[in-house]
Amino acid sequence: YRFMADCYRLENEIEGVTPGFLYNVALLNKNILLQYSSGKQNSQKDSFETQWIDIQKKLKPGECAIEFVQYEKFNRNYLGALILKHKGTPVFIRIISVEQLNSFILADRITVEKAVHSDNSSYKNLLYSSEQLGKLIWPDQLMSHVADADKIYFSPDGIFHNLAIEYLFPESDSYELYRLTG
């Protein structure tokens, strides 16, 4: 955990290099968690050697992959996105702090955190009817990087596991979104 947190302290420090490194860290982290949660020990060495360049080779023109990550930086948790296209190097975008997202008020003092953890269907409806929430999760900076894609593959992390963020995607009629989970 400390290693992962230390890696994200480097965000955006070395343009073009750090986002690729962070993408590889995210892949390694998710692979470890996937194997741990499944209870299976994969003895294949190459299961831990997948890197962003391997994923990029599988992307076709018009496709992009987003690794959402929840990470700690200076004792605060943040959500970020590592965006990978058919060509070029990955791009890292800090989205929002987890605290800001959880405390975002949807309506009538109902916060995102309360709605996510509630069994009340009207609270859930508040989540998916909020354009402002969609703009927090899919900010303009992120949207500008995926604007030329028509297929977006994404892997959630943190609170995004509990939210169907694909239903909060602006302009969802113009894109095909594919949630990738283990």
Side-chain angles (χ1 to χ4, degrees):
Y1 178 78
R2 279 283 122 218
F3 170 73
M4 301 300 173
D6 287 345
C7 291
Y8 285 100
R9 285 192 185 97
L10 298 173
E11 78 179 66
N12 294 328
E13 284 188 8
I14 308 169
E15 191 168 317
V17 176
T18 299
F21 173 72
L22 292 178
Y23 206 102
N24 291 340
V25 168
L27 292 173
L28 174 65
N29 185 41
K30 288 182 180 185
N31 196 324
I32 290 169
L33 291 173
L34 187 63
Q35 288 202 18
Y36 178 77
S37 68
S38 72
K40 296 179 183 175
Q41 297 296 324
N42 190 343
S43 61
Q44 293 181 344
K45 182 181 170 190
D46 55 323
S47 68
F48 288 106
E49 293 180 359
T50 302
Q51 296 193 10
W52 69 266
I53 198 81
D54 301 319
I55 294 171
Q56 186 178 54
K57 288 177 185 175
K58 295 180 181 188
L59 292 174
K60 297 177 180 129
E63 296 180 341
C64 76
I66 302 173
E67 284 289 331
F68 285 103
V69 292
Q70 182 171 315
Y71 63 98
E72 180 189 327
K73 185 171 183 175
F74 305 122
N75 297 319
R76 289 187 77 187
N77 287 312
Y78 292 92
L79 292 160
L82 289 151
I83 304 164
L84 182 61
K85 294 182 179 181
H86 174 67
K87 293 189 185 254
T89 57
V91 174
F92 177 80
I93 295 171
R94 182 190 301 180
I95 298 174
I96 192 170
S97 77
V98 173
E99 180 184 348
Q100 287 174 301
L101 183 62
N102 279 333
S103 63
F104 180 76
I105 298 173
L106 298 164
D108 300 326
R109 293 184 280 164
I110 305 299
T111 63
V112 167
E113 183 174 34
K114 186 172 185 176
V116 165
H117 297 295
S118 174
D119 291 332
N120 185 325
S121 62
S122 64
Y123 289 3
K124 299 291 185 195
N125 288 339
L126 288 174
L127 286 169
Y128 300 108
S129 61
S130 173
E131 279 186 41
Q132 294 87 0
L133 179 59
K135 289 180 182 191
L136 288 177
I137 294 170
W138 301 97
D140 291 341
Q141 186 182 14
L142 191 155
M143 293 301 294
S144 70
H145 285 284
V146 301
D148 58 349
D150 49 20
K151 284 186 182 177
I152 300 171
Y153 301 94
F154 72 95
S155 176
D157 196 15
I159 189 173
F160 289 167
H161 282 297
N162 298 323
L163 279 169
I165 61 173
E166 55 271 39
Y167 294 112
L168 294 165
F169 190 83
E171 308 168 35
S172 59
D173 295 341
S174 305
Y175 299 87
E176 293 178 47
L177 285 105
Y178 299 93
R179 176 185 282 255
L180 307 175
T181 59

Short mmCIF file of all heavy atoms in Angstrom, two decimals, residues 3 16 58 64 66 71 79 89 173 176 178 180:
data_model
loop_
_atom_site.label_atom_id
_atom_site.label_comp_id
_atom_site.label_asym_id
_atom_site.label_seq_id
_atom_site.Cartn_x
_atom_site.Cartn_y
_atom_site.Cartn_z
N PHE A 3 3.87 1.58 -1.16
CA PHE A 3 4.48 1.73 -2.49
C PHE A 3 3.52 2.42 -3.44
O PHE A 3 3.90 3.35 -4.16
CB PHE A 3 4.90 0.36 -3.04
CG PHE A 3 5.30 0.40 -4.48
CD1 PHE A 3 6.52 0.96 -4.86
CD2 PHE A 3 4.47 -0.12 -5.46
CE1 PHE A 3 6.90 1.01 -6.19
CE2 PHE A 3 4.85 -0.07 -6.80
CZ PHE A 3 6.06 0.48 -7.16
N GLY A 16 4.77 12.65 -19.69
CA GLY A 16 4.99 11.59 -20.66
C GLY A 16 5.59 10.33 -20.08
O GLY A 16 5.44 9.26 -20.64
N LYS A 58 -3.57 -3.55 -28.24
CA LYS A 58 -4.87 -4.18 -28.49
C LYS A 58 -5.95 -3.16 -28.84
O LYS A 58 -7.02 -3.55 -29.32
CB LYS A 58 -5.29 -5.01 -27.28
CG LYS A 58 -4.34 -6.18 -27.06
CD LYS A 58 -4.73 -7.00 -25.89
CE LYS A 58 -3.71 -8.12 -25.73
NZ LYS A 58 -4.07 -9.09 -24.76
N CYS A 64 -10.37 3.77 -26.64
CA CYS A 64 -9.48 4.17 -25.56
C CYS A 64 -9.80 3.35 -24.32
O CYS A 64 -10.88 2.79 -24.20
CB CYS A 64 -9.54 5.67 -25.30
SG CYS A 64 -10.97 6.25 -24.42
N ILE A 66 -9.55 3.46 -20.02
CA ILE A 66 -9.39 4.31 -18.84
C ILE A 66 -9.26 3.41 -17.62
O ILE A 66 -10.12 2.59 -17.35
CB ILE A 66 -10.59 5.26 -18.64
CG1 ILE A 66 -10.80 6.14 -19.86
CG2 ILE A 66 -10.39 6.10 -17.38
CD1 ILE A 66 -12.07 6.99 -19.80
N TYR A 71 -6.34 6.76 -5.00
CA TYR A 71 -4.99 6.77 -4.44
C TYR A 71 -4.89 7.79 -3.32
O TYR A 71 -5.71 8.69 -3.21
CB TYR A 71 -3.97 7.08 -5.54
CG TYR A 71 -4.13 8.45 -6.17
CD1 TYR A 71 -3.34 9.52 -5.76
CD2 TYR A 71 -5.07 8.69 -7.17
CE1 TYR A 71 -3.49 10.78 -6.33
CE2 TYR A 71 -5.22 9.94 -7.73
CZ TYR A 71 -4.43 10.98 -7.31
OH TYR A 71 -4.58 12.22 -7.86
N LEU A 79 -9.46 10.41 -6.54
CA LEU A 79 -9.82 9.58 -7.69
C LEU A 79 -9.16 10.21 -8.90
O LEU A 79 -9.18 11.43 -9.06
CB LEU A 79 -11.34 9.53 -7.87
CG LEU A 79 -12.05 8.78 -6.74
CD1 LEU A 79 -13.51 9.17 -6.68
CD2 LEU A 79 -11.89 7.28 -6.91
N THR A 89 1.24 8.34 -25.47
CA THR A 89 1.49 7.85 -24.12
C THR A 89 0.26 8.10 -23.25
O THR A 89 -0.57 8.94 -23.58
CB THR A 89 2.72 8.56 -23.50
OG1 THR A 89 2.49 9.96 -23.51
CG2 THR A 89 3.99 8.23 -24.26
N ASP A 173 -24.98 8.90 -25.76
CA ASP A 173 -25.48 8.40 -27.04
C ASP A 173 -24.39 8.35 -28.10
O ASP A 173 -24.51 7.63 -29.09
CB ASP A 173 -26.64 9.27 -27.54
CG ASP A 173 -27.84 9.20 -26.63
OD1 ASP A 173 -27.94 8.24 -25.83
OD2 ASP A 173 -28.69 10.10 -26.70
N GLU A 176 -19.75 4.20 -27.02
CA GLU A 176 -20.00 2.88 -26.47
C GLU A 176 -19.08 2.74 -25.27
O GLU A 176 -17.87 2.88 -25.40
CB GLU A 176 -19.68 1.78 -27.48
CG GLU A 176 -20.60 1.74 -28.68
CD GLU A 176 -20.19 0.65 -29.66
OE1 GLU A 176 -19.95 -0.49 -29.23
OE2 GLU A 176 -20.10 0.96 -30.85
N TYR A 178 -17.73 0.37 -22.04
CA TYR A 178 -17.60 -1.00 -21.59
C TYR A 178 -16.88 -1.03 -20.25
O TYR A 178 -15.72 -0.68 -20.16
CB TYR A 178 -16.83 -1.85 -22.59
CG TYR A 178 -17.50 -1.91 -23.95
CD1 TYR A 178 -17.18 -1.03 -24.96
CD2 TYR A 178 -18.48 -2.88 -24.19
CE1 TYR A 178 -17.80 -1.08 -26.19
CE2 TYR A 178 -19.12 -2.94 -25.43
CZ TYR A 178 -18.78 -2.03 -26.42
OH TYR A 178 -19.39 -2.09 -27.64
N LEU A 180 -15.01 -2.86 -17.44
CA LEU A 180 -14.19 -4.06 -17.29
C LEU A 180 -13.94 -4.32 -15.82
O LEU A 180 -13.41 -3.47 -15.13
CB LEU A 180 -12.85 -3.89 -18.03
CG LEU A 180 -12.94 -3.47 -19.50
CD1 LEU A 180 -11.56 -3.21 -20.05
CD2 LEU A 180 -13.68 -4.52 -20.32
#
